[in-house]
Amino acid sequence: MENTQALDQSQPGLSKRVKKAIERQQLSQRTEQSYLHWITRFITFHDCQDPEMLAEEEQHAFLRYLDERAQVSRARLNQAKQALVFFYEDVLDKVESRDTAAA
């Protein structure tokens, strides 16, 4: 499933919202690619559920999965954490506790 399809399946118009937030923050192309990758993996990990309905526990579950089961490197795990913080704060306008970044 393509990134934009997964995002829009979880919430119509979500891919456009992500891209607009990326433009507002003037993120580099590499950061944009990385964030889109991790946001899409997060959405597909939770079966394309509406991310507005996912609580911090679901974010922690995804990060635990990456750390323990997928065994991604510490740098990649940090990228995923930052992508989720960006996604919830800058795209969905939800202020999450910084516990997500510490998970």
Side-chain angles (χ1 to χ4, degrees):
M1 181 178 294
E2 188 179 315
N3 286 349
T4 57
Q5 288 176 324
L7 295 176
D8 288 337
Q9 185 175 341
S10 69
Q11 187 182 93
L14 187 57
S15 63
K16 287 181 183 179
R17 289 176 64 191
V18 171
K19 290 183 186 228
K20 283 183 182 181
I22 287 170
E23 288 173 11
R24 272 194 314 272
Q25 294 295 324
Q26 298 180 330
L27 301 177
S28 72
Q29 185 176 11
R30 298 278 292 170
T31 302
E32 175 181 355
Q33 291 170 344
S34 175
Y35 280 12
L36 281 171
H37 169 81
W38 291 117
I39 293 167
T40 301
R41 277 192 70 177
F42 172 70
I43 296 291
T44 56
F45 179 80
H46 291 293
D47 298 321
C48 294
Q49 293 180 53
D50 183 343
E52 304 248 17
M53 306 309 285
L54 300 174
E56 282 188 52
E57 181 52 39
E58 283 85 5
Q59 294 174 48
H60 292 295
F62 175 66
L63 295 171
R64 275 193 308 275
Y65 164 79
L66 292 177
D67 187 32
E68 297 168 5
R69 304 287 297 281
Q71 298 181 338
V72 299
S73 69
R74 187 64 44 203
R76 302 274 292 165
L77 187 59
N78 286 335
Q79 285 177 341
K81 289 176 190 177
Q82 285 306 114
L84 290 180
V85 169
F86 166 80
F87 182 56
Y88 275 89
E89 290 182 0
D90 295 315
V91 177
L92 300 178
D93 294 323
K94 292 182 178 270
V95 178
E96 299 290 323
S97 74
R98 287 295 167 173
D99 290 343
T100 300

